Each structure stands twice: as C-alpha cells, then as structure tokens.
C-alpha cells in the first residue's frame, strides 16, 4: 500500500536541477589536475613520476652503500654497529689528543770562560792530568 502526498511525493516529483557535465563524472575539483587539464595534467604526472623514481633511486643507493660498509667492517673484524664508539675509544686511549709535553729550553752554549773553568775544575779534582788539561785548554782557546 502506497501513501500518496506528503514528503515522499514532494521529493519524488521535485524538479531536478541540471548539473554541468565536464566529462570527468564530477570526481575532480575544477582546480585539480586531471583528465580535463590536457598538457598541464600530463606534465604534472610526468614530474610526479620523475620525483618518485629519484626518491626510489636514492633509497636504493643508500641501501647498497650501507650493505657494502657493513661487509667491509665485518671483514676487518669490527662491529659495524659500534664502529664509531670503537674509534673514539681508541683515539682517547692514544696520545693523539694529549697536549704536547713542553720542550726543555735549550741550554746556552758555554762561553770560553765557562769551558776553561770546567777544565780547571776537572784538573783540580784529578779527573784529567796536567798534560790533558794543557791540551784541552789549547783546543778551547783555538776555538
């Protein structure tokens, strides 16, 4: 049994407003690139595809480099996951970062008077003989 009148009939028999057909079935917003954008839509698709390919290429390259580094470190007997800590520990244990020891100041060259006084002292203590003293004194005076 069907009831005529009321809200159901009002909706059923209401005039329908025509909707413009852009050929895309109303899916795309007029500002979005889509099938109706022609060359602009094709260029967007090409650029988007190129960006995706570049990102995938960089990811694959990074993955290959990481695998090669891992293999090299394993072959060298180093744990690849802690290599930075191992290097830091080795550097800290070495003297590479310690300050340089101060170099002693060079002693001034002894003067002729100092050398003659030393020879006299050696002779007086009996370390050298009178003849050695005379020869050494002559050598110092000759220069």
């Amino acid at each position: 049994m069907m009831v005529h009148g009321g809200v159901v009939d009002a909706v059923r028999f209401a005039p329908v407003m025509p909707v413009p057909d852009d050929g895309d079935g109303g899916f795309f917003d007029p500002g979005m690139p889509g099938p109706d954008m022609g060359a602009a839509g094709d260029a967007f698709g090409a650029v988007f595809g190129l960006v995706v390919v570049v990102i995938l290429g960089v990811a694959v390259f990074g993955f290959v480099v990481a695998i090669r580094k891992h293999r090299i470190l394993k072959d060298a007997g180093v744990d690849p996951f802690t290599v930075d800590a191992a290097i830091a520990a080795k550097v800290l244990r070495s003297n590479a970062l310690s300050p340089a020891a101060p170099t002693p100041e060079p002693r001034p060259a002894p003067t002729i008077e100092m050398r003659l006084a030393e020879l006299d002292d050696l002779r007086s203590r009996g370390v050298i003989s009178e003849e050695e003293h005379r020869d050494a004194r002559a050598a110092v005076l000759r220069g």
Side-chain angles (χ1 to χ4, degrees), residues 12 29 34 37 43 58 62 66 79 109 111 133:
R12 189 179 328 167
D29 184 32
M37 295 284 289
V58 168
D79 182 10
T111 62
H133 177 262

Side-chain angles (χ1 to χ4, degrees), residues 14-20:
V16 177
M17 303 270 306
V19 177

Side-chain angles (χ1 to χ4, degrees), residues 5-17:
V7 177
V8 174
D9 280 339
V11 171
R12 189 179 328 167
F13 298 112
V16 177
M17 303 270 306

Side-chain angles (χ1 to χ4, degrees), residues 49-103:
L50 182 64
V51 168
V52 169
V53 168
V54 168
I55 290 172
L56 289 175
V58 168
V60 168
F61 177 75
F63 188 69
V64 168
V65 168
I67 289 174
R68 291 186 66 201
K69 285 182 177 182
H70 186 274
R71 185 176 305 137
I72 289 170
L73 290 171
K74 273 292 195 190
D75 291 345
V78 178
D79 182 10
F81 298 110
T82 60
V83 69
D84 56 340
I87 291 171
K90 191 176 230 180
V91 168
L92 291 172
R93 279 192 300 262
S94 72
N95 291 331
L97 299 178
S98 65
T103 56

Side-chain angles (χ1 to χ4, degrees), residues 119 123 128-139:
L119 288 174
R123 184 190 59 180
I128 59 173
S129 67
E130 186 65 38
E131 185 178 324
E132 291 171 328
H133 177 262
R134 201 179 12 227
D135 294 339
R137 188 172 173 84

